[in-house]
Amino acid sequence: MLDFAQARQLMVDCQLRTFDVNDIPVLDAFATVPRERFVQSGAEDFAYIDRTLRLSSGSEIARFMPAPMVLARMIQALKIRPGARALDVAAGYGYGTALLAELKARAVALESDPDLAQVARERLGQTAEVIAGPLGEGVAAQGPYDAILVQGRVETRPQTLLDQLRDDGRLVCVLGPDRGAKVTLFVRAGDAFGARPLFDANLPVLPDFAAAHGFAF
C-alpha cells in the first residue's frame, strides 16, 4: 500500500521545489493537504504523479486536476494572505479549495457540475463553502475577492471574474489557444487590469470560457 505521507513529501521535494515553488506556506500546504482524498475513488495511488488528472462524476462535464507543480505555481502567484477571500473556479472535488483554506483564506468553491459540487462538499466538509453554478458568472455575492484561481484553460478574457476582484486583487488562469497557452496572472488596479504571462502550461478548455469558432472553408 502506498505511503501517502511519504508521497506528499516527495511531491514537494521533487516536483514543486524544482519548479520554482519557494513560498514556504505554499509548500507546507501541499505537504499537508491529502491530495489522494480529492481524486476519483480507486485512483488514489496516482494522486501524486506529475500529470493532469481527469475527474469524473458520471456526467458529461469533464473536469481536470492540474499537475501539482502547475497548481502550486498558480497558487503561489496569488500571494494568499491569512483572511484573504478567495474563489476557486472549476473546483472539481475541491483540492485547490482545500489548499487555499490551508493557507488561511476564506475560500469559496465554484463548480458548474452539481454532482462534482456535491462530492466537493463531502470531501471538504466544513473547510469551505461550495456553490454549484455557471463558472462564467463567478459568485459576486461572496466577493469582492483578493484572489481567484481558475482551474482550467480559458480562451477568452474572464472579464466577469475580473470584475469580482477587489482593488489589488489577483486572478490566475491558463490563458490562450491549445498550443500557445500560458499561466497568466491578472492584477486589478482600480478599473484597470494588468496581465502578465508566467510560464507555459496547458489544461483542457473550460466550456464557459471557450472562444466562438467560425466556419472554416
Side-chain angles (χ1 to χ4, degrees):
M1 184 176 178
L2 182 64
D3 184 332
F4 291 119
Q6 182 180 53
R8 273 196 299 281
Q9 193 59 53
L10 285 172
M11 174 189 70
V12 170
D13 293 338
C14 300
Q15 296 180 43
L16 308 192
R17 292 182 185 274
T18 60
F19 196 54
D20 297 329
V21 181
N22 49 34
D23 184 276
I24 298 302
V26 172
L27 292 171
D28 287 345
F30 274 80
T32 301
V33 176
R35 186 175 167 93
E36 71 276 6
R37 183 183 298 170
F38 298 95
V39 300
Q40 292 186 61
S41 297
E44 290 83 0
D45 287 352
F46 300 99
Y48 295 96
I49 62 176
D50 180 20
R51 60 178 289 186
T52 299
L53 296 178
R54 178 168 181 152
L55 306 176
S56 174
S57 65
S59 73
E60 296 180 356
I61 297 178
R63 192 70 75 233
F64 295 82
M65 178 188 288
M69 63 183 188
V70 172
L71 183 58
R73 282 193 65 181
M74 292 175 75
I75 291 177
Q76 179 173 259
L78 291 173
K79 295 186 177 180
I80 300 292
R81 296 180 180 179
R85 182 164 291 279
L87 176 64
D88 181 15
V89 178
Y93 291 156
Y95 179 59
T97 311
L99 291 165
L100 295 173
E102 183 66 25
L103 289 166
K104 305 298 189 293
R106 293 176 292 167
V108 177
L110 175 62
E111 178 50 63
S112 59
D113 182 332
D115 294 335
L116 286 171
Q118 181 56 36
V119 175
R121 290 188 188 98
E122 295 167 358
R123 300 191 183 187
L124 286 167
Q126 300 300 313
T127 301
E129 182 178 3
V130 179
I131 295 176
L135 303 183
E137 295 181 7
V139 188
Q142 302 282 10
Y145 298 98
D146 300 284
I148 298 178
L149 169 67
V150 183
Q151 294 198 67
R153 181 164 56 89
V154 304
E155 294 179 328
T156 59
R157 182 184 176 98
Q159 191 60 50
T160 300
L161 297 181
L162 291 170
D163 289 339
Q164 294 176 22
L165 288 172
R166 69 171 68 252
D167 194 23
D168 203 35
R170 292 172 166 242
L171 179 149
V172 67
C173 62
V174 177
L175 174 66
D178 188 16
R179 296 187 179 181
K182 296 180 181 293
V183 169
T184 301
L185 174 68
F186 291 88
V187 181
R188 182 168 192 169
D191 293 329
F193 300 89
R196 178 163 60 96
L198 302 180
F199 59 94
D200 293 337
N202 204 349
L203 287 170
V205 67
L206 297 169
D208 302 63
F209 303 101
H213 299 287
F215 290 102
F217 296 94

